[in-house]
Amino acid sequence: MESPILRSGTRFLLPLMLLFSLFLLVRGHNEPGGGFVGGLTAATAFALVLLSEGLEAARRLLRVPPLAFVAAGLAVALASGLPPLVRGWPYMTGLWLKVPLPVVGKIGSPVVFDTGVYLVVLGIVLAILFALAEEEP
């Protein structure tokens, strides 16, 4: 699509949408949000680039293949359950820092798991969108 208005809007909205997706990710352990919604929001930001500037521009901006996000997200999500095993607790038992962080609040292993979900959702959605964009009309 050749629209200068959409291109200009995308340059403005992309960083805001990515920042909002991180906000959704971090707030998700205390309130509505989390890795799934944050990942969808980040994927929507890249979908906007795909629509306004094309597939190659979206791939250049992403810099890594979408399936690399899936692999990294699965590794992070699986690894988030390992620290309790060191203490002899069941896999995926939540561990929390005793001191809350200033802006974020309490951080724990569920946030790490949500980060893995965020990466998986981002990678899967972008892999599907990029595959659909490669199809010739």
Side-chain angles (χ1 to χ4, degrees), residues 43-118:
T44 304
F46 285 101
L48 193 58
V49 172
L50 176 68
L51 287 173
S52 67
E53 299 184 28
L55 179 61
E56 291 309 312
R59 284 185 195 251
R60 271 194 317 273
L61 185 61
L62 192 60
R63 295 186 181 165
V64 296
L67 293 180
F69 283 108
V70 175
L74 285 173
V76 168
L78 290 173
S80 71
L82 295 177
L85 291 177
V86 174
R87 292 183 153 180
W89 296 349
Y91 182 73
M92 289 292 217
T93 300
L95 297 175
W96 300 90
L97 291 177
K98 294 186 191 288
V99 179
L101 298 177
V103 175
V104 180
K106 288 182 123 181
I107 294 289
S109 57
V111 177
V112 178
F113 178 78
D114 270 350
T115 302
V117 172
Y118 177 94

Side-chain angles (χ1 to χ4, degrees), residues 29-49:
H29 65 282
N30 286 331
E31 296 181 30
F36 188 81
V37 175
L40 285 177
T41 305
T44 304
F46 285 101
L48 193 58
V49 172

